[in-house]
Amino acid sequence: FTLFLFGATQTIVEAQKQHLISDTTQASTWYEQGLLLQKKTSHDSATVLFEKASFVYKKHQFWEKQLACQIMLSRSLYLMGTY
């Protein structure tokens, strides 16, 4: 019985890791796209991507990356004049 629980727990942990990797990979993509849009002065679109990425990083407690998103979001809002 204990071996079964250990195996089931191991499966759950692996599934959670895969979800974490998937989420943060998507967040990284959004962040990079936001940077590109910011360079093209598409600040309104960039803010949406920075917000989405920030939410994922906050959810998974990746504070440094979440802060980077917030900084870029603030920069875009500043450049749009809506700070």
Side-chain angles (χ1 to χ4, degrees):
F1 180 70
T2 304
L3 184 57
F4 173 74
L5 285 179
F6 179 73
T9 303
Q10 203 60 13
T11 303
I12 292 168
V13 169
E14 288 301 316
Q16 289 173 338
K17 281 183 185 177
Q18 288 296 337
H19 187 67
L20 169 71
I21 291 168
S22 175
D23 280 358
T24 55
T25 299
Q26 182 62 59
S28 178
T29 301
W30 287 332
Y31 179 78
E32 293 299 323
Q33 289 174 342
L35 291 176
L36 290 173
L37 289 170
Q38 199 176 53
K39 286 180 184 178
K40 294 179 181 180
T41 66
S42 296
H43 300 292
D44 53 344
S45 298
T47 58
V48 172
L49 294 172
F50 291 137
E51 285 176 339
K52 289 169 69 171
S54 178
F55 175 78
V56 171
Y57 287 135
K58 183 177 180 179
K59 175 181 164 186
H60 294 294
Q61 299 180 355
F62 282 43
W63 303 122
E64 188 174 324
K65 291 183 179 192
Q66 195 260 342
L67 180 59
C69 290
Q70 290 297 310
I71 290 169
M72 290 297 110
L73 172 63
S74 297
R75 183 169 188 247
S76 284
L77 292 173
Y78 174 78
L79 291 170
M80 288 187 333
T82 57
Y83 49 94

XYZ file of all heavy atoms in Angstrom:
681
model
N 0.833 -1.208 0.000
C 0.000 0.000 0.000
C 0.868 1.259 0.000
O 0.591 2.190 -0.732
C -0.944 -0.032 1.204
C -1.837 1.176 1.285
C -2.856 1.369 0.361
C -1.663 2.134 2.259
C -3.670 2.480 0.417
C -2.468 3.239 2.332
C -3.489 3.406 1.408
N 1.930 1.259 0.800
C 2.822 2.414 0.864
C 3.520 2.633 -0.469
O 3.661 3.770 -0.914
C 3.878 2.219 1.980
O 3.201 1.987 3.205
C 4.766 3.428 2.106
N 3.910 1.557 -1.121
C 4.570 1.669 -2.413
C 3.631 2.287 -3.442
O 4.030 3.117 -4.244
C 5.049 0.287 -2.891
C 5.840 0.250 -4.186
C 7.073 1.146 -4.076
C 6.247 -1.164 -4.514
N 2.358 1.916 -3.398
C 1.371 2.480 -4.310
C 1.235 3.982 -4.086
O 1.212 4.767 -5.030
C 0.010 1.787 -4.139
C -1.078 2.454 -4.928
C -1.138 2.315 -6.310
C -2.016 3.252 -4.298
C -2.132 2.947 -7.043
C -3.008 3.888 -5.023
C -3.061 3.735 -6.401
N 1.143 4.402 -2.826
C 1.010 5.830 -2.521
C 2.235 6.611 -2.977
O 2.122 7.714 -3.506
C 0.776 6.050 -1.027
C -0.611 5.712 -0.505
C -0.672 5.949 0.998
C -1.666 6.543 -1.201
N 3.406 6.015 -2.745
C 4.630 6.678 -3.182
C 4.631 6.843 -4.699
O 4.955 7.910 -5.209
C 5.870 5.888 -2.739
C 7.150 6.520 -3.178
C 7.621 7.668 -2.572
C 7.882 5.979 -4.233
C 8.796 8.267 -2.990
C 9.053 6.568 -4.659
C 9.513 7.708 -4.030
N 4.226 5.812 -5.425
C 4.165 5.865 -6.883
C 3.152 6.895 -7.356
O 3.397 7.637 -8.305
N 1.999 6.946 -6.712
C 0.961 7.911 -7.080
C 1.430 9.331 -6.790
O 1.199 10.249 -7.584
C -0.332 7.616 -6.336
N 2.088 9.517 -5.662
C 2.601 10.831 -5.293
C 3.666 11.277 -6.283
O 3.690 12.435 -6.697
C 3.186 10.803 -3.863
O 2.185 10.362 -2.964
C 3.690 12.169 -3.446
N 4.523 10.347 -6.665
C 5.577 10.654 -7.626
C 4.978 11.095 -8.962
O 5.446 12.036 -9.583
C 6.463 9.409 -7.801
C 7.840 9.668 -8.293
C 8.664 10.567 -7.376
O 8.353 10.861 -6.224
N 9.737 11.046 -7.920
N 3.903 10.440 -9.383
C 3.225 10.789 -10.631
C 2.621 12.186 -10.547
O 2.710 12.974 -11.486
C 2.132 9.751 -10.955
O 2.733 8.460 -11.016
C 1.454 10.052 -12.255
N 2.012 12.506 -9.427
C 1.413 13.827 -9.230
C 2.489 14.910 -9.271
O 2.318 15.948 -9.905
C 0.624 13.883 -7.905
C -0.606 12.980 -8.003
C 0.235 15.305 -7.552
C -1.307 12.736 -6.687
N 3.607 14.658 -8.610
C 4.704 15.628 -8.584
C 5.243 15.854 -9.991
O 5.489 16.998 -10.396
C 5.831 15.159 -7.629
C 7.078 16.010 -7.795
C 5.348 15.192 -6.188
N 5.414 14.798 -10.748
C 5.899 14.932 -12.125
C 4.920 15.734 -12.982
O 5.323 16.556 -13.800
C 6.157 13.557 -12.749
C 7.375 12.856 -12.193
C 8.661 13.657 -12.385
O 8.879 14.204 -13.486
O 9.448 13.732 -11.432
N 3.627 15.486 -12.803
C 2.610 16.222 -13.556
C 2.651 17.711 -13.198
O 2.521 18.571 -14.067
C 1.225 15.650 -13.284
N 2.860 18.003 -11.916
C 2.940 19.402 -11.484
C 4.177 20.082 -12.067
O 4.126 21.252 -12.452
C 2.948 19.491 -9.964
C 1.619 19.153 -9.343
C 1.670 19.087 -7.830
O 2.735 18.903 -7.243
N 0.522 19.228 -7.201
N 5.295 19.350 -12.129
C 6.514 19.905 -12.710
C 6.303 20.231 -14.184
O 6.727 21.273 -14.661
C 7.681 18.926 -12.572
C 8.320 18.893 -11.219
C 9.506 17.956 -11.238
C 10.125 17.785 -9.884
N 11.229 16.807 -9.909
N 5.646 19.330 -14.905
C 5.386 19.556 -16.323
C 4.507 20.793 -16.514
O 4.724 21.579 -17.426
C 4.716 18.326 -16.961
C 5.640 17.159 -17.119
C 6.797 17.436 -18.076
O 6.723 18.305 -18.931
N 7.878 16.718 -17.908
N 3.505 20.945 -15.648
C 2.615 22.112 -15.734
C 3.394 23.399 -15.455
O 3.215 24.400 -16.134
C 1.448 21.942 -14.761
C 0.400 22.999 -14.888
N -0.395 23.119 -16.003
C 0.043 24.005 -14.055
C -1.206 24.146 -15.843
N -0.952 24.704 -14.671
N 4.264 23.350 -14.452
C 5.101 24.502 -14.104
C 5.987 24.881 -15.278
O 6.067 26.052 -15.650
C 5.959 24.191 -12.875
C 7.071 25.179 -12.549
C 6.491 26.476 -12.027
C 8.033 24.591 -11.554
N 6.635 23.900 -15.881
C 7.521 24.160 -17.006
C 6.732 24.741 -18.174
O 7.149 25.709 -18.807
C 8.276 22.878 -17.418
C 9.276 22.502 -16.316
C 8.991 23.061 -18.748
C 9.870 21.125 -16.461
N 5.578 24.170 -18.444
C 4.732 24.655 -19.533
C 4.300 26.101 -19.288
O 4.370 26.943 -20.188
C 3.507 23.753 -19.675
O 2.625 24.248 -20.633
N 3.841 26.389 -18.077
C 3.398 27.742 -17.725
C 4.532 28.756 -17.859
O 4.360 29.822 -18.442
C 2.876 27.790 -16.286
C 1.464 27.271 -16.140
O 0.844 26.895 -17.153
O 0.985 27.222 -14.993
N 5.675 28.426 -17.283
C 6.768 29.396 -17.276
C 7.403 29.547 -18.660
O 7.897 30.622 -18.989
C 7.831 29.039 -16.222
O 8.286 27.706 -16.437
C 7.258 29.177 -14.817
N 7.354 28.500 -19.469
C 7.830 28.616 -20.841
C 6.936 29.576 -21.608
O 7.416 30.442 -22.350
C 7.866 27.242 -21.541
O 8.758 26.389 -20.825
C 8.310 27.355 -22.978
N 5.631 29.451 -21.427
C 4.691 30.362 -22.081
C 4.896 31.788 -21.579
O 4.889 32.739 -22.361
C 3.245 29.921 -21.824
C 2.206 30.790 -22.499
C 2.318 30.777 -24.011
O 2.215 29.737 -24.628
N 2.531 31.929 -24.608
N 5.107 31.937 -20.281
C 5.334 33.268 -19.706
C 6.598 33.901 -20.279
O 6.622 35.097 -20.587
C 5.419 33.181 -18.187
N 7.619 33.103 -20.439
C 8.868 33.597 -21.021
C 8.652 34.070 -22.460
O 9.173 35.108 -22.873
C 9.930 32.496 -20.982
O 11.117 32.928 -21.576
N 7.859 33.322 -23.198
C 7.529 33.708 -24.572
C 6.769 35.027 -24.594
O 7.071 35.918 -25.398
C 6.698 32.607 -25.259
O 7.456 31.395 -25.264
C 6.320 32.980 -26.675
N 5.799 35.178 -23.697
C 5.034 36.421 -23.620
C 5.936 37.600 -23.279
O 5.807 38.678 -23.843
C 3.916 36.312 -22.592
C 2.771 35.454 -23.012
C 2.335 35.213 -24.281
C 1.910 34.717 -22.156
N 1.246 34.371 -24.252
C 0.965 34.049 -22.964
C 1.840 34.546 -20.771
C -0.033 33.238 -22.440
C 0.844 33.737 -20.254
C -0.083 33.097 -21.075
N 6.849 37.376 -22.350
C 7.770 38.442 -21.938
C 8.641 38.873 -23.120
O 8.780 40.077 -23.390
C 8.638 37.966 -20.768
C 9.629 39.000 -20.295
C 9.227 40.058 -19.494
C 10.972 38.913 -20.651
C 10.128 41.012 -19.063
C 11.885 39.861 -20.216
C 11.464 40.901 -19.431
O 12.362 41.849 -19.001
N 9.213 37.915 -23.826
C 10.063 38.226 -24.973
C 9.276 38.933 -26.074
O 9.772 39.886 -26.684
C 10.718 36.952 -25.521
C 11.729 36.320 -24.579
C 12.899 37.223 -24.242
O 13.358 37.976 -25.126
O 13.356 37.198 -23.089
N 8.057 38.482 -26.328
C 7.214 39.142 -27.321
C 6.881 40.571 -26.880
O 6.835 41.487 -27.701
C 5.927 38.354 -27.550
C 6.136 37.058 -28.290
C 4.864 36.223 -28.384
O 3.912 36.429 -27.627
N 4.850 35.281 -29.300
N 6.648 40.740 -25.589
C 6.387 42.067 -25.052
C 7.564 43.005 -25.276
O 7.376 44.166 -25.645
N 8.774 42.502 -25.077
C 9.965 43.320 -25.319
C 10.058 43.736 -26.785
O 10.382 44.886 -27.091
C 11.234 42.554 -24.912
C 11.435 42.315 -23.423
C 12.680 41.452 -23.203
C 11.545 43.618 -22.653
N 9.777 42.792 -27.681
C 9.812 43.121 -29.116
C 8.769 44.167 -29.482
O 9.049 45.112 -30.225
C 9.601 41.852 -29.948
C 10.740 40.842 -29.940
C 10.332 39.567 -30.672
C 11.997 41.434 -30.568
N 7.574 44.008 -28.935
C 6.513 44.976 -29.209
C 6.851 46.342 -28.622
O 6.548 47.378 -29.221
C 5.175 44.478 -28.671
C 4.567 43.314 -29.444
C 3.380 42.733 -28.684
C 4.139 43.760 -30.831
N 7.495 46.334 -27.469
C 7.890 47.591 -26.842
C 8.897 48.338 -27.728
O 8.810 49.548 -27.881
C 8.491 47.294 -25.463
C 8.533 48.461 -24.533
C 9.038 48.059 -23.175
O 10.107 47.452 -23.077
N 8.286 48.378 -22.136
N 9.819 47.595 -28.332
C 10.799 48.213 -29.232
C 10.128 48.784 -30.473
O 10.609 49.748 -31.058
C 11.858 47.188 -29.641
C 12.839 46.867 -28.549
C 13.865 45.861 -29.003
C 14.780 45.482 -27.852
N 15.754 44.464 -28.233
N 9.019 48.159 -30.882
C 8.283 48.631 -32.058
C 7.252 49.698 -31.683
O 6.407 50.056 -32.496
C 7.571 47.457 -32.735
C 8.506 46.434 -33.324
C 7.732 45.301 -33.951
C 8.665 44.259 -34.531
N 7.934 43.156 -35.152
N 7.306 50.165 -30.464
C 6.394 51.158 -29.881
C 4.928 50.713 -29.889
O 4.023 51.534 -29.930
C 6.533 52.553 -30.535
O 6.117 52.496 -31.891
C 7.953 53.086 -30.418
N 4.698 49.422 -29.819
C 3.334 48.889 -29.650
C 3.113 48.642 -28.162
O 2.961 47.509 -27.711
C 3.168 47.592 -30.444
O 3.295 47.815 -31.811
N 3.127 49.721 -27.409
C 3.103 49.617 -25.952
C 1.805 49.022 -25.412
O 1.834 48.305 -24.412
C 3.377 50.978 -25.319
C 4.704 51.527 -25.698
N 5.882 50.966 -25.275
C 5.042 52.569 -26.496
C 6.890 51.644 -25.774
N 6.407 52.626 -26.536
N 0.690 49.295 -26.068
C -0.576 48.747 -25.578
C -0.575 47.216 -25.656
O -0.997 46.541 -24.721
C -1.767 49.336 -26.329
C -1.644 49.214 -27.837
O -0.523 48.963 -28.342
O -2.666 49.376 -28.520
N -0.062 46.666 -26.746
C 0.020 45.205 -26.878
C 1.067 44.625 -25.930
O 0.879 43.546 -25.364
C 0.363 44.818 -28.317
O -0.637 45.258 -29.200
N 2.160 45.341 -25.762
C 3.222 44.885 -24.867
C 2.717 44.781 -23.426
O 3.037 43.826 -22.719
C 4.423 45.817 -24.939
N 1.900 45.752 -23.001
C 1.409 45.723 -21.623
C 0.569 44.474 -21.352
O 0.670 43.878 -20.288
C 0.569 46.969 -21.278
O -0.527 47.059 -22.168
C 1.393 48.227 -21.325
N -0.217 44.064 -22.336
C -1.044 42.852 -22.167
C -0.149 41.639 -21.942
O -0.398 40.819 -21.047
C -1.959 42.641 -23.394
C -2.673 41.301 -23.320
C -2.956 43.772 -23.523
N 0.899 41.521 -22.742
C 1.798 40.378 -22.618
C 2.576 40.408 -21.306
O 2.755 39.369 -20.659
C 2.742 40.324 -23.814
C 2.052 40.043 -25.148
C 3.036 40.198 -26.298
C 1.439 38.663 -25.160
N 3.038 41.582 -20.892
C 3.755 41.690 -19.620
C 2.839 41.325 -18.445
O 3.276 40.678 -17.494
C 4.337 43.089 -19.425
C 5.462 43.421 -20.356
C 5.534 44.649 -20.973
C 6.477 42.503 -20.626
C 6.574 44.972 -21.827
C 7.524 42.810 -21.482
C 7.567 44.051 -22.089
N 1.574 41.740 -18.517
C 0.626 41.403 -17.451
C 0.394 39.891 -17.376
O 0.350 39.322 -16.291
C -0.701 42.118 -17.664
C -0.664 43.586 -17.335
C -1.964 44.303 -17.650
O -2.770 43.798 -18.463
O -2.184 45.377 -17.068
N 0.219 39.256 -18.531
C -0.012 37.810 -18.559
C 1.198 37.053 -17.995
O 1.043 36.136 -17.190
C -0.312 37.352 -19.989
C -1.679 37.799 -20.483
C -1.870 37.570 -21.959
C -1.966 36.116 -22.329
N -2.372 35.911 -23.742
N 2.382 37.441 -18.426
C 3.602 36.784 -17.948
C 3.781 37.011 -16.447
O 4.111 36.085 -15.701
C 4.812 37.300 -18.715
N 3.521 38.232 -16.007
C 3.655 38.557 -14.588
C 2.732 37.700 -13.733
O 3.133 37.207 -12.666
C 3.344 40.037 -14.371
O 3.431 40.364 -13.011
N 1.516 37.490 -14.193
C 0.556 36.671 -13.454
C 1.070 35.246 -13.279
O 0.993 34.668 -12.184
C -0.797 36.662 -14.171
C -1.800 35.752 -13.528
C -2.470 36.137 -12.385
C -2.051 34.492 -14.050
C -3.388 35.288 -11.771
C -2.957 33.635 -13.453
C -3.628 34.033 -12.316
N 1.604 34.671 -14.340
C 2.122 33.288 -14.267
C 3.306 33.221 -13.314
O 3.385 32.320 -12.470
C 2.520 32.777 -15.670
C 3.257 31.447 -15.580
C 1.291 32.645 -16.550
N 4.227 34.159 -13.436
C 5.402 34.153 -12.554
C 4.997 34.350 -11.092
O 5.562 33.716 -10.199
C 6.399 35.218 -12.978
C 7.141 34.872 -14.254
C 7.319 35.823 -15.251
C 7.663 33.602 -14.471
C 8.004 35.516 -16.416
C 8.345 33.286 -15.628
C 8.510 34.246 -16.600
O 9.186 33.938 -17.755
N 4.018 35.184 -10.849
C 3.539 35.389 -9.477
C 2.907 34.109 -8.945
O 3.157 33.707 -7.796
C 2.522 36.530 -9.434
C 2.039 36.857 -8.053
C 1.099 38.047 -8.075
C 0.623 38.372 -6.674
N -0.277 39.532 -6.678
N 2.112 33.452 -9.778
C 1.446 32.208 -9.391
C 2.459 31.146 -8.949
O 2.231 30.415 -7.986
C 0.625 31.701 -10.580
C -0.025 30.365 -10.400
C -0.781 29.987 -11.664
C -1.125 28.527 -11.688
N -1.729 28.135 -12.977
N 3.587 31.082 -9.639
C 4.610 30.080 -9.339
C 5.730 30.619 -8.452
O 6.732 29.941 -8.232
C 5.180 29.507 -10.634
C 4.173 28.724 -11.407
N 3.636 27.536 -10.956
C 3.573 28.965 -12.595
C 2.773 27.076 -11.833
N 2.708 27.933 -12.836
N 5.568 31.846 -7.978
C 6.504 32.498 -7.053
C 7.908 32.650 -7.631
O 8.906 32.480 -6.948
C 6.536 31.754 -5.710
C 5.191 31.749 -5.029
C 5.182 31.026 -3.709
O 6.176 30.421 -3.303
N 4.063 31.076 -3.023
N 7.977 33.018 -8.895
C 9.244 33.365 -9.541
C 9.352 34.880 -9.441
O 9.081 35.616 -10.391
C 9.236 32.926 -11.008
C 9.462 31.458 -11.229
C 8.848 30.497 -10.449
C 10.294 31.037 -12.237
C 9.049 29.154 -10.666
C 10.506 29.685 -12.474
C 9.884 28.753 -11.688
N 9.741 35.347 -8.267
C 9.639 36.765 -7.946
C 10.518 37.653 -8.812
O 10.113 38.757 -9.188
C 9.922 36.991 -6.464
C 9.011 36.199 -5.590
C 9.377 35.274 -4.650
C 7.575 36.218 -5.565
N 8.260 34.731 -4.055
C 7.138 35.290 -4.597
C 6.613 36.922 -6.277
C 5.803 35.052 -4.315
C 5.268 36.679 -6.005
C 4.878 35.768 -5.030
N 11.719 37.205 -9.123
C 12.622 38.034 -9.927
C 12.039 38.267 -11.328
O 12.053 39.388 -11.836
C 13.989 37.360 -10.030
C 15.037 38.228 -10.675
C 16.410 37.605 -10.639
O 16.752 36.934 -9.653
O 17.154 37.807 -11.612
N 11.511 37.218 -11.923
C 10.919 37.347 -13.259
C 9.613 38.134 -13.200
O 9.309 38.905 -14.115
C 10.700 35.973 -13.874
C 12.017 35.298 -14.202
C 11.815 33.971 -14.885
C 13.168 33.372 -15.215
N 13.070 32.244 -16.112
N 8.864 37.954 -12.131
C 7.621 38.706 -11.971
C 7.934 40.194 -11.862
O 7.264 41.023 -12.467
C 6.864 38.204 -10.734
C 5.423 38.655 -10.676
C 5.193 39.837 -9.757
O 6.016 40.152 -8.908
N 4.075 40.497 -9.934
N 8.982 40.524 -11.125
C 9.390 41.920 -10.983
C 9.853 42.493 -12.326
O 9.525 43.641 -12.665
C 10.503 42.051 -9.944
C 11.039 43.448 -9.686
C 9.933 44.385 -9.221
C 12.168 43.409 -8.685
N 10.587 41.711 -13.100
C 11.037 42.173 -14.419
C 9.833 42.510 -15.305
O 9.842 43.517 -16.021
C 11.906 41.110 -15.089
N 8.802 41.678 -15.238
C 7.580 41.944 -16.006
C 6.917 43.237 -15.542
O 6.470 44.048 -16.364
C 6.582 40.789 -15.859
S 7.081 39.270 -16.671
N 6.861 43.430 -14.240
C 6.236 44.635 -13.699
C 7.012 45.892 -14.101
O 6.417 46.930 -14.386
C 6.133 44.540 -12.172
C 5.127 43.526 -11.686
C 3.726 43.893 -12.114
O 3.266 45.009 -11.938
N 3.037 42.935 -12.709
N 8.324 45.791 -14.129
C 9.145 46.931 -14.529
C 8.888 47.287 -15.992
O 8.696 48.457 -16.342
C 10.645 46.645 -14.281
C 10.910 46.627 -12.769
C 11.536 47.663 -15.000
C 12.273 46.102 -12.387
N 8.859 46.277 -16.846
C 8.601 46.524 -18.269
C 7.170 47.012 -18.499
O 6.926 47.876 -19.350
C 8.863 45.267 -19.098
C 10.327 44.898 -19.205
S 11.299 46.168 -20.058
C 12.260 46.815 -18.726
N 6.234 46.488 -17.723
C 4.848 46.957 -17.799
C 4.782 48.432 -17.425
O 4.164 49.237 -18.132
C 3.966 46.120 -16.864
C 2.531 46.586 -16.674
C 1.768 46.538 -17.989
C 1.837 45.719 -15.636
N 5.438 48.793 -16.344
C 5.461 50.193 -15.908
C 6.100 51.086 -16.959
O 5.612 52.190 -17.231
C 6.240 50.330 -14.603
O 5.611 49.612 -13.584
N 7.160 50.594 -17.569
C 7.838 51.376 -18.614
C 6.904 51.615 -19.799
O 6.828 52.724 -20.322
C 9.107 50.645 -19.076
C 9.884 51.421 -20.077
C 11.261 50.797 -20.308
N 12.045 51.670 -21.139
C 12.436 51.379 -22.372
N 12.143 50.230 -22.897
N 13.150 52.229 -23.063
N 6.187 50.584 -20.220
C 5.263 50.744 -21.337
C 4.143 51.726 -20.989
O 3.782 52.578 -21.809
C 4.643 49.393 -21.731
O 5.580 48.619 -22.440
N 3.620 51.600 -19.786
C 2.557 52.531 -19.367
C 3.083 53.957 -19.323
O 2.399 54.901 -19.751
C 1.996 52.123 -18.002
C 1.207 50.811 -17.980
C 0.866 50.429 -16.546
C -0.050 50.920 -18.829
N 4.298 54.122 -18.839
C 4.919 55.448 -18.794
C 5.071 56.025 -20.203
O 4.736 57.183 -20.459
C 6.278 55.379 -18.092
C 7.038 56.669 -18.125
C 6.710 57.711 -17.269
C 8.086 56.857 -19.024
C 7.393 58.918 -17.310
C 8.778 58.049 -19.070
C 8.434 59.075 -18.211
O 9.105 60.258 -18.250
N 5.560 55.198 -21.119
C 5.790 55.665 -22.491
C 4.467 55.953 -23.218
O 4.436 56.784 -24.131
C 6.618 54.649 -23.269
C 8.068 54.527 -22.791
C 8.752 53.338 -23.449
C 8.835 55.816 -23.038
N 3.397 55.298 -22.796
C 2.093 55.591 -23.376
C 1.457 56.815 -22.729
O 0.468 57.348 -23.217
C 1.120 54.396 -23.190
C 1.452 53.232 -24.062
S 0.241 51.863 -24.043
C -0.544 51.919 -22.484
N 2.010 57.231 -21.587
C 1.465 58.384 -20.881
C 0.265 58.041 -20.020
O -0.538 58.905 -19.694
N 0.128 56.748 -19.628
C -1.019 56.327 -18.815
C -0.572 55.749 -17.475
O -1.120 54.789 -16.991
C -1.845 55.256 -19.557
O -0.999 54.147 -19.879
C -2.463 55.809 -20.814
N 0.424 56.337 -16.899
C 0.955 55.850 -15.626
C 0.168 56.363 -14.450
O -0.559 57.283 -14.480
C 2.422 56.220 -15.460
C 2.722 57.651 -15.749
C 2.741 58.583 -14.728
C 2.968 58.077 -17.043
C 3.010 59.918 -14.993
C 3.235 59.407 -17.310
C 3.249 60.316 -16.288
O 3.521 61.638 -16.545
